[in-house]
Amino acid sequence: MLNRRLHRTIVGGITGIVLFSVIGAWLLVSLTSLFFAFVCICIIIALAIMLVRKMEKTDRQLESFFSAINNNDFNAHFTEKNDDKFLNKLFQEMNRIITQFENNHTELEERRFYYESIIRVLTHEIRNSITPIASLSADLIKYSDEYGKEGMIDGLQTINQQVQQLNTFLNAYHRLTHLPDPVKSKVKICTLFDKLNRLLNSEPGSENVRYISSENVEIPLDPNLITLALINLIRNALQATANNPQPEIKVEAEKGAACSFIQVTDNGDGIPQDRLDDIFTPFYSTKKEGSGIGLPLSRRIMQLHSGELTVNSEPGEKTVFSMTFPAHLQTSFS
């Protein structure tokens, strides 16, 4: 029991009150005084029992709280007591801790899955690149006389190509994992959109991109990193709508009370529901010549801004990528 010392104090106090009450009543030697002493003793005992039971109930709830934390039970919830400020505040804090603990646990699981995916892809790609290099180099050494000069040159060129591919892959991984910390400033989104329009002006289909933002939309962000993320999203939209006879791409920004967001919407082929989670896995790509780095890089940039990059797609209708910036991070820049 968590409050044993307090319980002993209560029991000791009750015992002392009872003894003094009995002695006082006995000394007065009066039936009336004995009656009132008995009534007082009963009231004191009843109040003490109520108090002890209430404390035991609180103890049980505290034990349930610690048990939930130890067993990763995130369904535990403690009803707040409006008639008791202390317990109300205590249970509010307990519920907050469980919610925070659940969020941290979920984030750790997501990170574990993320890095496991990267390691799995790294292992696969490196093995695929090294295996032909090892095989071909062993043949060149073993059968050097049979290959001749031209054969040796062809073999070495093949090895060099494989090395270049592996180097490109590792550079992409390095870029993903070594992004700089954001240097934030309050940026007018319409100005950012003007810059994007100029940068992508030479891209095929760029005339189909519409930028929508009012003058008063300002978001604290790193303009260089967010520009990089938006270029990846817009290029994806351009590729998705390449075969659409009436392509439409919208890049729009809005600022709300809870959050600000930038959305990239296209009417391309869309993404099947079973692939929505895969597209953010590093080096996963549905395109033949895709690197699979653009979307993971964009999501990582949003995470560095304490924001989110999410996607919602209706195949054959539209796909929406949403960059969400929490409002509470904007107050320090106001």
Side-chain angles (χ1 to χ4, degrees), residues 33-54:
S33 62
L34 287 172
F35 172 76
F36 280 112
F38 177 75
V39 171
C40 289
I41 291 170
C42 290
I43 293 173
I44 291 171
I45 293 174
L47 291 173
I49 292 173
M50 289 175 59
L51 179 61
V52 169
R53 285 183 176 177
K54 188 173 183 180

Side-chain angles (χ1 to χ4, degrees), residues 119-136:
I119 291 171
R120 186 165 57 250
V121 172
L122 278 171
T123 304
H124 175 76
E125 292 294 332
I126 292 173
R127 182 182 288 119
N128 283 350
S129 297
I130 289 179
T131 299
I133 291 174
S135 176
L136 182 56

Side-chain angles (χ1 to χ4, degrees), residues 233-283:
L233 297 179
I234 295 170
R235 279 180 175 162
N236 274 355
L238 290 170
Q239 292 170 3
T241 57
N243 297 323
N244 193 319
Q246 294 181 324
E248 293 182 6
I249 300 171
K250 286 193 304 182
V251 184
E252 52 189 330
E254 284 192 22
K255 186 172 184 178
C259 63
S260 297
F261 65 86
I262 301 174
Q263 289 186 334
V264 179
T265 306
D266 69 72
N267 63 344
D269 296 333
I271 306 167
Q273 291 295 316
D274 58 349
R275 291 187 178 179
L276 285 178
D277 292 333
D278 295 332
I279 63 173
F280 291 110
T281 301
F283 311 109

Side-chain angles (χ1 to χ4, degrees), residues 106-156:
T106 302
E107 184 179 351
L108 286 173
E109 286 296 310
E110 289 177 351
R111 286 187 178 182
R112 182 181 64 81
F113 176 76
Y114 176 79
Y115 286 113
E116 282 181 355
S117 300
I118 289 181
I119 291 171
R120 186 165 57 250
V121 172
L122 278 171
T123 304
H124 175 76
E125 292 294 332
I126 292 173
R127 182 182 288 119
N128 283 350
S129 297
I130 289 179
T131 299
I133 291 174
S135 176
L136 182 56
S137 60
D139 281 350
L140 290 174
I141 294 170
K142 188 174 182 180
Y143 305 106
S144 58
D145 294 337
E146 298 179 15
Y147 271 96
K149 183 178 179 180
E150 291 185 0
M152 290 287 286
I153 292 174
D154 288 341
L156 290 172

Side-chain angles (χ1 to χ4, degrees), residues 18 21 25 48 60 66 71 75 79 86 88 95 101 121 132 136 138 238 245 266 268 306 310 315 325:
V18 170
S21 298
R60 286 195 297 271
F66 289 113
N71 298 320
N75 295 319
T79 305
F86 173 75
N88 185 47
N95 289 329
F101 194 71
V121 172
L136 182 56
L238 290 170
D266 69 72
S306 300
T310 56
F325 301 84

Side-chain angles (χ1 to χ4, degrees), residues 131-238:
T131 299
I133 291 174
S135 176
L136 182 56
S137 60
D139 281 350
L140 290 174
I141 294 170
K142 188 174 182 180
Y143 305 106
S144 58
D145 294 337
E146 298 179 15
Y147 271 96
K149 183 178 179 180
E150 291 185 0
M152 290 287 286
I153 292 174
D154 288 341
L156 290 172
Q157 285 178 341
T158 302
I159 290 174
N160 183 64
Q161 290 173 358
Q162 287 295 110
V163 171
Q164 292 297 329
Q165 290 178 3
L166 181 58
N167 190 50
T168 300
F169 173 79
L170 292 176
N171 285 337
Y173 172 75
H174 184 272
R175 187 182 182 191
L176 175 65
T177 56
H178 290 77
L179 282 169
D181 291 332
V183 180
K184 297 180 184 179
S185 59
K186 208 161 190 180
V187 175
K188 278 193 173 184
I189 301 304
C190 58
T191 304
L192 184 68
F193 283 178
D194 289 339
K195 177 183 175 183
L196 278 168
N197 190 25
R198 291 193 300 272
L199 287 172
L200 296 170
N201 191 43
S202 60
E203 298 273 338
S206 60
E207 67 277 5
N208 300 313
V209 182
R210 288 192 298 130
Y211 298 92
I212 305 169
S213 177
S214 59
E215 288 285 340
N216 63 346
V217 177
E218 293 183 339
I219 303 176
L221 49 79
D222 185 318
N224 294 324
L225 288 177
I226 295 300
T227 296
L228 175 60
L230 282 168
I231 286 175
N232 287 328
L233 297 179
I234 295 170
R235 279 180 175 162
N236 274 355
L238 290 170

Side-chain angles (χ1 to χ4, degrees), residues 65 69 74 76 78 94-102:
F65 168 73
I69 294 295
F74 307 123
F78 301 92
M94 288 161 62
N95 289 329
R96 187 195 66 79
I97 291 173
I98 287 180
T99 301
Q100 184 64 44
F101 194 71
E102 179 182 12

